Amino acid sequence: MRAARQLRRIRPVYAGGAVLWAASAAWAGWEDPGSRQMWVSVFFLVVFAGLLSMTSLWLVHRRPADAGGVVHHAAPRRMAARRQASA
């Protein structure tokens, strides 16, 4: 649960990074096509898009089957045996 919550929080950061690097790659490609700055921007765009897609896929696979139901954390697996006082 904690990992899923952290991934949900970081997903907008990855999306923002992907948008930022896409804009940077487009700008650098417009100003100087084929330049080193354009290729570095494209590389970081691919990195952030990959992080975003991996995070989204991992969250989809981690989603419980019954997401709307009540979740019982740390429920005991079996009932404890009753102890009786000796006579």
Side-chain angles (χ1 to χ4, degrees):
M1 279 302 199
R2 182 178 175 191
R5 185 173 57 244
Q6 289 174 344
L7 285 175
R8 274 190 221 101
R9 288 181 182 165
I10 199 69
R11 209 170 22 174
V13 174
Y14 292 156
V19 168
L20 176 72
W21 287 111
S24 176
W27 182 267
W30 180 265
E31 292 292 320
D32 190 13
S35 66
R36 179 177 293 233
Q37 182 180 0
M38 185 199 78
W39 288 113
V40 169
S41 296
V42 168
F43 172 74
F44 281 114
L45 169 62
V46 169
V47 168
F48 274 90
L51 287 170
L52 179 62
S53 63
M54 291 299 292
T55 302
S56 297
L57 284 174
W58 194 84
L59 283 171
V60 166
H61 290 294
R62 286 283 293 178
R63 185 177 301 147
D66 187 21
V70 177
V71 178
H72 298 283
H73 296 287
R77 294 190 182 265
R78 60 185 176 96
M79 297 296 292
R82 290 188 184 187
R83 293 186 160 208
Q84 295 183 1
S86 60

